[in-house]
Amino acid sequence: MPPTVVREPARDGQDIPICPECGHPVANSKGSQRIEKPDLVHVALAGTFDELVTFGWRCERHPYEIVLPMRVGDADASAFVDGWTGVEIRFADEHVRHVAIPKRELSERVE
């Protein structure tokens, strides 16, 4: 599988999430998404995940996968639901941001 393109979600004038590449509304895709070959910043995690589950949106109008993770702010993902934590990944625009992943996935692979 080729790496997933990970982009910051954009919003239209009505605050509806849209794909930053094509402008298509993606609100109906909200849920758990898979990122193939994530560019994880933490060295110890980088070789651990071939696929990462996150929460956000995806755009299916492209010949490649685009995932738009929901912002979580920090490693605690304290503003997010229980059972999730934050990890830093590099997005397609080269910025590093935290994305939410299930705590159990992290604990199963890091122990």
Side-chain angles (χ1 to χ4, degrees):
M1 289 291 285
T4 303
V5 175
V6 182
R7 299 284 307 262
E8 178 80 5
R11 299 215 173 240
D12 67 10
Q14 297 174 328
D15 204 32
I16 295 171
I18 61 173
C19 175
E21 292 195 15
C22 69
H24 182 73
V26 294
N28 290 338
S29 67
K30 185 176 182 181
S32 293
Q33 309 297 337
R34 297 191 179 283
I35 299 173
E36 298 289 337
K37 300 176 184 155
D39 188 358
L40 290 157
V41 176
H42 193 277
V43 176
L45 296 178
T48 307
F49 289 91
D50 290 333
E51 178 183 82
L52 193 69
V53 174
T54 190
F55 192 84
W57 302 269
R58 74 178 178 284
C59 186
E60 298 177 337
R61 300 189 79 185
H62 307 274
Y64 47 90
E65 292 291 320
I66 297 179
V67 170
L68 316 163
M70 183 176 280
R71 294 182 191 187
V72 294
D74 58 23
D76 291 337
S78 54
F80 207 64
V81 295
D82 288 340
W84 292 73
T85 190
V87 296
E88 288 183 312
I89 68 169
R90 190 170 328 280
F91 280 48
D93 63 4
E94 296 297 320
H95 284 92
V96 173
R97 298 175 178 94
H98 284 91
V99 301
I101 68 167
K103 284 182 182 178
R104 73 173 185 281
E105 282 203 23
L106 185 61
S107 63
E108 287 173 0
R109 293 194 168 124
V110 176
E111 291 181 1

